[in-house]
Amino acid sequence: LLLEKNWQDRHSVSIFAHTYVMMLFRPLLILLWDASIASSWILHPILTTTPTTYSRYSTTTPISSLSTRCYSYPPSTEFQTGQPFPYAMELFPAATTYNEMLSYIPARLNQLGYSPSTTLCATSLCGDEMNRPLEQALSDVFTQTYSLGGLAGFPLGGVTAFRKMKDHMPTDGSIFIVYGPHVGLSQDGRIGHVDRKGIRAVEGEHTLCCRSAILAANQVAQIHRGEAGGLELDPLDPSQYYVESYLMPFAERLEQSPDEASRMMDLPYALLEAQTELLERIIYEGSQFGFPGDVVVLGGIQINTPPGYVDYYVPLRFDLYDSEGQFSGSLFEDGQQ
């Protein structure tokens, strides 16, 4: 009992001291809090507005004209502070930085009546670790994300994942899907390879990007030339089998490339075509069981660059599908396609 009383006395003194200190410093804390809020309102438009144009489209459409101060991407990932990578713009003139993309897209959606606060963002991107920062950035903008994707960016979650996604959509909201393959660019501009952080720059399979796509392209090329048998489903590697299956119709097209660099250049476009066809089928089939909202789809190619440089995205499709899964039209602005 004596020990308990002694503890209670010390506890009372502690509470009294804490209360006294808070009363003493409360005016100063309030002053500092008000100052921090005021500074954030003053500096926010300066720090977040991107005064450049959306490079995928006409230079007559500045990002700043689309209310980006309301929906600007907070640059929280390391690569966003890097330097521009000249080879990316040379090989993909339509490429735009992630900062530009994530400023334009939410503003454009808001302009069309799709608020980021009531829009569930779903991604279908490759599992490569170099693609995770984009997913994190999208989560920062849309507050919640859902994954449909698999190897090479194919929406291997299929109709089941799409139907389940609708249960997670905000009330009276909509769905925004970002999908597409990715391709690496090395320090010396080689397409299909990338320098990875923390890995010694020695050429090998670890530099391939996208490794799944390149291995699939090599496999379907051998089959097309008659150097290998048909595709076989390996239960320990089912996703790779499906990547090869969806790429098989493009084997002849890829085989006609004049050199390896041209083949690597055409590969992500072939992948995007295959993924677009698959995703359209998934959206239609998954919408036949009571889908309550519209689906906005952004399809393009991710460009992974060496450490110290910003990454890029080449937006090639920006489409709207109604609640029945029917294509309703492109959301690109006039003159942007």
Side-chain angles (χ1 to χ4, degrees):
L1 291 176
L2 289 175
L3 289 174
E4 181 178 356
K5 183 178 185 304
N6 184 41
W7 179 87
Q8 291 175 348
D9 291 342
R10 285 183 295 169
H11 186 59
S12 299
V13 172
S14 175
I15 294 175
F16 174 78
H18 180 268
T19 303
Y20 179 77
V21 171
M22 290 301 297
M23 292 179 60
L24 182 64
F25 288 99
R26 186 171 182 272
L28 178 59
L29 293 173
I30 293 175
L31 181 62
L32 291 174
W33 175 259
D34 291 341
S36 67
I37 294 177
S39 64
S40 66
W41 278 99
I42 294 172
L43 295 177
H44 178 74
I46 300 175
L47 295 177
T48 60
T49 301
T50 307
T52 55
T53 58
Y54 188 51
S55 55
R56 163 64 179 88
Y57 305 128
S58 168
T59 56
T60 61
T61 308
I63 289 180
S64 56
S65 68
L66 298 175
S67 304
T68 55
R69 292 187 180 188
C70 297
Y71 297 99
S72 290
Y73 161 66
S76 60
T77 49
E78 181 179 345
F79 63 82
Q80 290 295 322
T81 60
Q83 298 296 317
F85 194 58
Y87 288 121
M89 298 305 298
E90 290 179 11
L91 294 172
F92 298 91
T96 179
T97 67
Y98 284 1
N99 277 334
E100 292 173 328
M101 166 191 169
L102 293 169
S103 291
Y104 175 84
I105 295 301
R108 178 64 174 148
L109 290 177
N110 185 66
Q111 187 183 58
L112 295 167
Y114 301 102
S115 171
S117 62
T118 58
T119 299
L120 173 62
C121 179
T123 61
S124 182
L125 305 172
C126 185
D128 194 307
E129 76 277 2
M130 300 192 77
N131 299 328
R132 301 287 72 76
L134 177 58
E135 286 186 335
Q136 180 59 52
L138 289 167
S139 179
D140 290 342
V141 173
F142 291 94
T143 69
Q144 50 185 334
T145 58
Y146 186 93
S147 178
L148 294 171
L151 282 180
F154 280 92
L156 298 180
V159 174
T160 299
F162 185 85
R163 291 178 186 172
K164 184 62 179 177
M165 177 179 60
K166 71 179 182 180
D167 296 332
H168 303 174
M169 186 181 68
T171 303
D172 299 324
S174 56
I175 299 293
F176 175 53
I177 299 176
V178 181
Y179 77 100
H182 69 116
V183 62
L185 289 179
S186 66
Q187 187 75 43
D188 56 1
R190 288 179 305 141
I191 189 168
H193 292 265
V194 72
D195 307 295
R196 298 178 183 271
K197 181 182 295 185
I199 299 180
R200 187 162 52 94
V202 177
E203 184 171 339
E205 280 201 2
H206 65 270
T207 69
L208 295 180
C209 185
C210 169
R211 182 178 184 273
S212 170
I214 293 173
L215 295 181
N218 293 340
Q219 179 66 20
V220 300
Q222 292 178 1
I223 295 174
H224 178 72
R225 293 192 298 263
E227 299 173 0
L231 299 175
E232 295 183 3
L233 176 59
D234 183 351
L236 297 180
D237 200 13
S239 294
Q240 185 63 18
Y241 166 81
Y242 288 110
V243 174
E244 295 170 355
S245 298
Y246 291 125
L247 194 59
M248 194 68 216
F250 299 88
E252 182 176 357
R253 165 177 154 181
L254 294 172
E255 191 70 10
Q256 293 175 351
S257 300
D259 51 48
E260 183 63 13
S262 299
R263 189 172 78 107
M264 289 296 99
M265 187 71 182
D266 192 35
L267 178 57
Y269 289 96
L271 290 166
L272 183 66
E273 289 184 35
Q275 292 169 13
T276 299
E277 180 183 358
L278 176 61
L279 185 59
E280 286 181 338
R281 292 168 57 191
I282 290 173
I283 292 175
Y284 177 77
E285 292 295 334
S287 299
Q288 303 308 305
F289 297 86
F291 192 86
D294 295 339
V295 179
V296 178
V297 176
L298 176 67
I301 301 170
Q302 287 181 269
I303 304 175
N304 304 129
T305 62
Y309 296 94
V310 296
D311 282 7
Y312 295 84
Y313 188 86
V314 185
L316 298 173
R317 300 183 64 91
F318 192 23
D319 300 329
L320 175 65
Y321 295 82
D322 62 21
S323 59
E324 297 181 354
Q326 298 286 350
F327 175 76
S328 298
S330 173
L331 298 180
F332 285 142
E333 298 177 84
D334 293 339
Q336 291 186 334
Q337 298 187 44

